[in-house]
Amino acid sequence: MTAPNARERILPRLIDEEIKESFINYSMSVIVSRALPDVRDGLKPVHRRVLYAMNEAGLLPGRPFKKCATVVGDVLGKYHPHGDSSVYDALVRMVQTFSLRYPLVDGQGNFGSLDGDRAAAYRYTESRLTRMAAEMLTDIDKNTVVFVPNFDDRLQEPSVLPSGVPNLLVNGSSGIAVGMATNIPPHNFREISEAVITLIDNPDLAAAELRKIVKGPDFPTGGFIYGRAGIADYQDTGRGRIVMRARAVIEEKESSGRSQIVVTEVPYQVNKAKLVADIADLVREQKLTGISALRDESDRDGIRVVVELKRDAIPRVVLNQLYKHTTMQSTFGVIMLALVPDVNTRQLVPKVLTLKQCLLHFIEHRHEVIVRRTQFDLDKALERAHILEGLKIAVDHIDEVIALIRAADDTPSASAQLQSRFALSERQAEAILNLRLAKLTNLERDKLEEELVEVRAFIGEMRGILESKPRRMEIMKGELLKVTEQFGDERRTEIVSDEGEFSIEDLIAEEEMVVTISHQGYVKRTAVSLYNRQGRGGRGKQGADLKDGDFMERFYVVSTHTYILIFTDDGRCFWIKVHELPQAGRDTRGKPIVNLINVTPDTRIRAVVPVREFTDSEFLLFCTKNGTVKKTALSQYSNPRANGIKAIKIEDDDELMDVQVTSGSNDVVLATRHALSVRFHESDVREMGRDTTGVKGIELRPGDSVVGMVVIKRDSTLLVVTQKGLGKCSDIEEYRVQKRGGKGILTLNRTDRTGDVVALMEVVPADELMLMTRQGVAIRIKVSEIRVASRATQGVKLVALDDKDIVSAVARVIPDDKDTVIDAVEATSADPGFGELGLTDGDAGGGA
C-alpha cells in the first residue's frame, strides 16, 4: 500500500524546467552568498564571517594572537557552512600585505609570499584583527546593521558590517560567480576619503572632477600604471583595462663597465619567482638577448631582481624586451561588479558600478549606519532618563518609599504599590527596588541629578541629529577624516601619462644598416661597420657570395626603425620595416624578397624608399623607363595592404624606374643611358592620385631609356658613373633649367671606353661613394678624389674591373665620427639623416 501512495504523490514535471529552476537557484546562491562583494562593506560573506567571528572571540588589536585554527573552527561551526580551506584562504589573503592594500588581519607566522609560497597550515599560524578591521566593526553592537539567522538558525550574524572604511575601493575585490565576474582594483585611502567628502558636499560632482581626486588604482606592490584611458573607462563605465609595469632602474657597474637592470617592484598579482624563471627560460630560448646573468636578491627589506647585461647590450632595448615578453608588464581588467541592495525589495542584486556610484552607495550605507546608531543611542538614553526620573522621585520621597517597601508583603506587591503611589512604570519601580542604600547619600543624590541633566542633554543632541541630515553628513565627514588621519598614506603606484604601448621598434636597437637587394631578388641587412674604407682605384672587398648570374642591384644605408616602401616594376607599393629584413654577414646573399612581401618570383624591385613619417607636406616623385614622371602625396602610401597597393599606373611597354621623396619645390634631373639629361622645376609636375599615369618628363630617342633621377635638395654637384667604372663630377649649374618634356642636354661624353651611364647622383666633396659590381665586389672611395669636370668629359677611373665585370650599383655615403656609413639623402624632414641612395640597374636598364 505504501508504494502506490508514494507514486500518487509524485508530481509530473518537465526535466528542462527542473534543470532551469535548479540552476538559477544555484547561480543566485553563488552570486549572493559566495563570490561577489557587497558594495557597502566590500566583503564577501566568508570574509565578513571571519572578521565577525574574530571580533566575537576578542581578537582585537593590541590583544594576544590566537591560533588561526581557532578562528577557522569558530567560523565553520557558527556561520560558514563550507570547507575549512575556503575560510583559511580568505583569512590568509586578508593578512598578505601584497594582496590587500590595507590588510584587515594581523598575522603571526608564514602567510605566503610574492613567490607563490603557500601559507603554513592553520595549526601553525596565529592572527588577530588590525585596527582597520576594528574600524569596520565599530558600533556593530548598536543595531547599526541588520542581523540574519545563521545556517542552522541557532545564532545571528550580520548581513553587512558598519564599515567606517570604504573597503570595496581601498582594498578592491575579485571573484568569479556563475556567468559573471568581478575584479575591482585597490585604491589609495586618502584619495577615496577625499572623494567621499567631496561627494558629500557636492553630490552632483562630474566624473571628470572626481578623476582629479581619485587618480587611479594604487596597488600594494607599487609599480607603474601606463596611461589614463583605462582609468577613465572604468571610473566612468565600470569596466576598463589597466596596463601595469614593474618598476625597474638601469644601474651602471663602474668596476666592469657593464649595465644591469634592477627590478624593485612588480605588477599586482605577479608571481615573482615565476617571473624570474620565465626570464631565464626566454634567455635560454634566445627570445631575450643581451642578458648575461640573472639573480634574485630579494629579502625582507624588499624586492631586488638583478638582470646583468652583456657588454654590447643596450639597456633600454633589453628592458623593453622584458616588458614585451614577460609579466613585468601585465594587464588588470577592471570589472566593478558588486552586490547592491534593491531600492524596493532590499534584496541584493549584482550590478556593474561606476566609481561615483560605488562612493554614493558607501555614503548611503554610512548614513543609514549613523541613523541607526543615533536611534539606538537615543533609545538607550531615553530608557536611562526614564530610570533616572523614577530614581529621582524615589530619592525625593525616600522616607515614604522606605515605609511602603517595609510594609509590603513581597517584592511584586511593593512594585505594584510604588507604581500606584508615585505613577511609576514597572521598570522604574524595579530600579527603585534594586537601589542600593549607598545611593541615598547627599553626594550620590547630586550625581544622580547631574546624570539626569547630562542624559537629557544627550537626548536633545540625538534628536537634533535625527532631525538634521546636514548634521549627519558632517558627522560622517568627521569620522572619515579621523580614520583617514590614522590609516591614510602616500600612493605606492605611479601613474604615467604616456599609454606606454611600446611598438616593436622599442625592442630593436636603432642603428645604421646596409640594405642590399640583388638582381635575383635576395635581400639582407648588414651592419655598416663591416665595410672598410679604401683608396680610389683599389680592388675592393668581396661584398656578397652571390649565385652565378646574380649581382647587387640595390644598395641603401638606413636606420633599423625606418619604414621601407618597396616599389615593383609593375607600379605596386609594399610596406616593411628595416628591422624585419633578415640580418646577415657581408659575404652572404640574404633571403628571397618574395618571402617578405607578397610578390611573384619574376617581380622586380625598382625602388626602395626609406621614410619615417607619412605626411601631406611631402611627396613621392616617380619616374619610368620611358621618361614619365608623377608626383603624389606621401600620406597616400601610409597603409599598404598585404598584396600591395597601386602606386602608379604603368603603360604596357613601360616600367617603373625610380621613386624619391620630395618637398614639392625642388628641381629634378633625369638622366638616360645614352648620357642625356633634362633639368626642370618640380612644380611643372602637378600633384596626382595613386592610380594615375603621370606626365612626360623627358623626350627619349630610339633605343634610349631613363637610368636615374636626382631631386636637387642642396647646392652640390652631380656625379655620373658609367658601366666601365669611369666617373666625374660636374657643377649643378652646368645643367640649365629646361621645360619638362624636352630632349635634354649632354651629361657625359659617351664612348666605348665609358660604356652606358649607370648612375646619376647629387654629391658634395665630403661625401663618399660605395660602388657595387655585377660580380658582387664592393669598394668605398671619397668623392673628393674624383675630379670636377664639365658635362662633356669622360671622367676618371673609379674602380678597376675584370674584363667581364661592370659597375651595377652606386651609393653615396657620408662618414660620421664613428667611421660608419650614413646616407646623406634626406628621407623626410623629420629624419634628415636617412634616405634613398640613388642606385642603378646596370645592364638590366634599372634606375637610381
Side-chain angles (χ1 to χ4, degrees):
M1 296 296 294
T2 304
N5 290 337
R7 285 197 296 269
E8 290 176 0
R9 290 195 298 270
I10 298 175
L11 299 177
R13 183 174 175 84
L14 294 175
I15 190 170
D16 58 342
E17 294 180 359
E18 179 67 25
I19 293 175
K20 180 179 179 180
E21 182 176 328
S22 299
F23 186 76
I24 290 176
N25 292 336
Y26 166 74
S27 301
M28 291 307 298
S29 175
V30 172
I31 291 170
V32 176
S33 303
R34 291 175 64 181
L36 299 183
D38 193 303
V39 70
R40 296 168 291 180
D41 62 4
L43 297 173
K44 300 178 186 178
V46 63
H47 300 95
R48 187 179 302 116
R49 288 163 177 165
V50 168
L51 296 180
Y52 181 66
M54 294 179 71
N55 185 66
E56 289 292 290
L59 299 180
L60 301 177
R63 294 189 181 179
F65 290 91
K66 282 191 178 180
K67 289 286 187 182
C68 290
T70 303
V71 178
V72 173
D74 285 350
V75 174
L76 289 178
K78 295 179 179 180
Y79 310 115
H80 199 64
H82 300 283
D84 60 341
S85 62
S86 63
V87 176
Y88 188 52
D89 288 347
L91 188 151
V92 166
R93 187 174 186 276
M94 289 191 288
V95 174
Q96 294 172 339
T97 57
F98 52 86
S99 293
L100 263 64
R101 181 65 175 82
Y102 302 92
L104 300 177
V105 177
D106 187 7
Q108 188 166 266
N110 174 22
F111 284 90
S113 70
L114 263 177
D115 291 332
D117 301 319
R118 294 184 59 83
Y122 50 64
R123 63 182 179 272
Y124 299 119
T125 57
E126 298 178 335
S127 63
R128 65 185 178 190
L129 294 175
T130 63
R131 297 190 183 278
M132 175 79 80
E135 286 293 335
M136 296 186 65
L137 289 156
T138 299
D139 297 330
I140 196 171
D141 56 346
K142 291 187 176 183
N143 194 33
T144 51
V145 295
V146 176
F147 277 72
V148 296
N150 71 335
F151 60 87
D152 59 2
D153 291 336
R154 289 187 303 109
L155 304 169
Q156 295 284 311
E157 63 174 310
S159 59
V160 66
L161 297 187
S163 187
V165 174
N167 182 63
L168 180 68
L169 292 173
V170 298
N171 272 327
S173 182
S174 63
I176 301 175
V178 179
M180 60 186 68
T182 184
N183 203 27
I184 302 173
H187 295 77
N188 184 267
F189 198 118
R190 288 180 180 173
E191 293 179 3
I192 296 298
S193 175
E194 184 181 351
V196 171
I197 293 172
T198 305
L199 274 179
I200 291 174
D201 295 334
N202 181 16
D204 298 326
L205 188 69
E209 295 298 319
L210 199 59
R211 264 197 305 279
K212 296 179 181 178
I213 302 173
V214 182
K215 305 297 190 299
D218 188 19
F219 299 110
T221 55
F224 292 96
I225 293 176
Y226 268 64
R228 290 184 167 83
I231 296 174
D233 288 341
Y234 88 78
Q235 290 188 358
D236 293 346
T237 67
R239 295 177 182 269
R241 178 176 174 272
I242 306 298
V243 178
M244 306 176 294
R245 275 191 181 180
R247 184 181 295 274
V249 296
I250 298 173
E251 298 180 353
E252 300 292 337
K253 299 177 65 175
E254 297 181 359
S255 58
S256 62
R258 297 186 179 184
S259 301
Q260 63 183 21
I261 297 173
V262 180
V263 180
T264 57
E265 296 175 1
V266 297
Y268 185 50
Q269 296 177 333
V270 166
N271 186 314
K272 176 172 64 66
K274 188 175 184 303
L275 170 63
V276 174
D278 289 344
I279 294 175
D281 291 340
L282 291 171
V283 172
R284 281 191 291 269
E285 295 169 4
Q286 296 185 347
K287 293 182 179 179
L288 287 178
T289 59
I291 297 176
S292 61
L294 178 64
R295 298 188 308 276
D296 186 357
E297 300 177 354
S298 305
D299 54 24
R300 65 178 57 193
D301 295 328
I303 297 173
R304 182 176 171 85
V305 177
V306 180
V307 181
E308 289 195 4
L309 306 182
K310 296 179 180 178
R311 191 178 301 276
D312 58 345
I314 300 177
R316 179 56 57 182
V317 172
V318 177
L319 179 58
N320 284 332
Q321 288 177 337
L322 290 170
Y323 284 140
K324 179 71 173 180
H325 298 294
T326 71
T327 52
M328 282 181 60
Q329 173 170 309
S330 302
T331 301
F332 189 96
V334 180
I335 307 175
M336 304 274 283
L337 179 68
L339 297 175
V340 179
D342 185 80
V343 177
N344 299 319
T345 65
R346 301 301 294 175
Q347 296 293 321
L348 295 177
V349 294
K351 186 177 180 181
V352 176
L353 305 167
T354 65
L355 175 66
K356 183 177 179 179
Q357 289 172 333
C358 288
L359 296 171
L360 290 176
H361 279 296
F362 173 75
I363 293 173
E364 181 181 353
H365 172 60
R366 284 301 298 171
H367 178 260
E368 182 179 351
V369 167
I370 292 173
V371 170
R372 293 175 65 107
R373 182 186 66 195
T374 305
Q375 186 64 54
F376 178 87
D377 290 339
L378 175 61
D379 293 342
K380 287 291 185 180
L382 288 172
E383 182 179 351
R384 180 60 180 167
H386 183 62
I387 298 298
L388 291 174
E389 288 170 352
L391 293 176
K392 186 176 185 302
I393 292 174
V395 170
D396 291 340
H397 303 84
I398 190 60
D399 293 334
E400 186 178 355
V401 168
I402 292 174
L404 189 151
I405 294 174
R406 290 181 65 183
D409 295 333
D410 52 22
T411 300
S413 61
S415 175
Q417 292 178 26
L418 286 172
Q419 294 177 46
S420 175
R421 170 68 183 83
F422 298 105
L424 301 175
S425 68
E426 183 178 354
R427 293 292 305 277
Q428 287 176 322
E430 181 182 355
I432 292 172
L433 291 173
N434 293 329
L435 185 67
R436 296 171 57 197
L437 294 177
K439 294 290 185 181
L440 300 179
T441 64
N442 290 331
L443 180 61
E444 290 297 330
R445 292 172 61 184
D446 292 341
K447 287 183 179 180
L448 186 65
E449 293 180 358
E450 290 176 2
E451 184 182 359
L452 182 59
V453 171
E454 291 176 359
V455 170
R456 286 173 176 170
F458 182 77
I459 290 172
E461 179 74 13
M462 294 300 99
R463 284 175 172 164
I465 292 173
L466 289 176
E467 293 170 357
S468 173
K469 186 174 182 179
R471 287 192 63 182
R472 296 195 293 271
M473 290 301 180
E474 288 299 321
I475 291 172
M476 186 189 308
K477 289 165 56 177
E479 292 176 349
L480 189 57
L481 286 172
K482 183 178 178 181
V483 176
T484 305
E485 183 179 354
Q486 184 177 1
F487 302 112
D489 57 3
E490 298 297 327
R491 286 190 64 89
R492 297 182 187 176
T493 303
E494 184 178 345
I495 301 175
V496 182
S497 297
D498 186 4
E499 182 64 24
E501 293 290 344
F502 51 87
S503 64
I504 190 65
E505 283 74 25
D506 295 323
L507 311 179
I508 305 298
E510 183 166 8
E511 55 183 328
E512 289 76 44
M513 287 284 173
V514 174
V515 176
T516 57
I517 304 174
S518 74
H519 180 70
Q520 294 185 359
Y522 285 86
V523 63
K524 68 172 181 178
R525 60 185 173 99
T526 308
V528 295
S529 59
L530 297 181
Y531 292 90
N532 297 326
R533 182 181 291 109
Q534 300 177 12
R536 179 176 66 86
R539 290 290 303 171
K541 180 177 290 189
Q542 187 70 24
D545 184 14
L546 299 174
K547 297 171 62 177
D548 293 341
D550 197 7
F551 58 91
M552 306 306 289
E553 190 175 48
R554 292 289 183 267
F555 190 92
Y556 302 88
V557 179
V558 289
S559 164
T560 49
H561 288 194
T562 303
Y563 296 90
I564 297 292
L565 297 184
I566 302 175
F567 297 89
T568 59
D569 55 355
D570 58 356
R572 285 185 297 164
C573 174
F574 296 85
W575 197 79
I576 198 171
K577 285 291 189 74
V578 169
H579 61 74
E580 296 173 341
L581 300 175
Q583 185 168 1
R586 189 184 60 243
D587 56 350
T588 58
R589 64 173 178 262
K591 294 183 179 180
I593 200 169
V594 292
N595 294 342
L596 304 176
I597 60 176
N598 191 11
V599 296
T600 58
D602 59 343
T603 302
R604 303 192 63 188
I605 305 302
R606 289 305 191 189
V608 178
V609 178
V611 291
R612 277 293 183 92
E613 295 179 323
F614 296 88
T615 64
D616 290 325
S617 60
E618 293 179 307
F619 303 88
L620 287 179
L621 187 64
F622 298 78
C623 76
T624 70
K625 182 180 68 173
N626 290 347
T628 299
V629 293
K630 189 191 80 161
K631 183 173 67 176
T632 305
L634 183 59
S635 59
Q636 296 195 30
Y637 298 87
S638 59
N639 293 301
R641 295 180 292 271
N643 293 328
I645 59 174
K646 195 70 174 178
I648 182 174
K649 187 175 182 180
I650 300 294
E651 300 292 343
D652 293 338
D653 60 341
D654 200 0
E655 61 184 52
L656 181 65
M657 295 305 298
D658 193 15
V659 184
Q660 292 192 38
V661 177
T662 71
S663 63
S665 59
N666 304 108
D667 282 355
V668 181
V669 178
L670 299 180
T672 71
R673 292 171 58 87
H674 294 171
L676 295 175
S677 63
V678 62
R679 175 183 178 182
F680 57 89
H681 291 304
E682 186 183 345
S683 57
D684 291 347
V685 183
R686 69 180 185 277
E687 183 181 348
M688 303 179 184
R690 285 193 295 107
D691 193 12
T692 55
T693 303
V695 295
K696 181 177 292 187
I698 186 171
E699 181 73 29
L700 297 176
R701 296 172 180 171
D704 200 2
S705 62
V706 173
V707 296
M709 175 178 68
V710 170
V711 177
I712 302 173
K713 299 178 181 179
R714 56 184 175 178
D715 185 13
S716 57
T717 59
L718 290 184
L719 170 71
V720 180
V721 180
T722 68
Q723 289 178 327
K724 298 297 182 66
L726 274 67
K728 69 174 182 67
C729 294
S730 300
D731 290 335
I732 192 69
E733 298 302 326
E734 294 202 18
Y735 294 80
R736 68 178 186 274
V737 177
Q738 302 173 272
K739 285 295 184 180
R740 171 184 58 80
K743 293 185 178 181
I745 59 176
L746 197 65
T747 189
L748 180 134
N749 183 14
R750 174 171 165 264
T751 65
D752 292 339
R753 177 175 176 267
T754 63
D756 289 340
V757 173
V758 296
L760 174 73
M761 64 181 58
E762 184 184 19
V763 295
V764 295
D767 292 346
E768 294 186 359
L769 291 181
M770 191 79 76
L771 277 69
M772 303 291 290
T773 73
R774 178 183 293 182
Q775 295 179 359
V777 176
I779 184 171
R780 182 174 173 180
I781 62 175
K782 296 180 179 179
V783 171
S784 58
E785 298 177 356
I786 304 175
R787 179 169 53 88
V788 177
S790 63
R791 287 188 295 105
T793 58
Q794 293 184 350
V796 297
K797 179 177 290 188
L798 304 181
V799 59
L801 301 173
D802 293 338
D803 293 340
K804 296 181 179 180
D805 199 8
I806 61 173
V807 174
S808 63
V810 182
R812 177 180 53 78
V813 295
I814 302 174
D816 67 359
D817 58 350
K818 294 182 180 179
D819 197 28
T820 58
V821 180
I822 297 180
D823 179 20
V825 178
E826 295 181 354
T828 67
S829 59
D831 182 27
F834 303 92
E836 184 180 351
L837 295 184
L839 305 186
T840 68
D841 191 20
D843 282 351

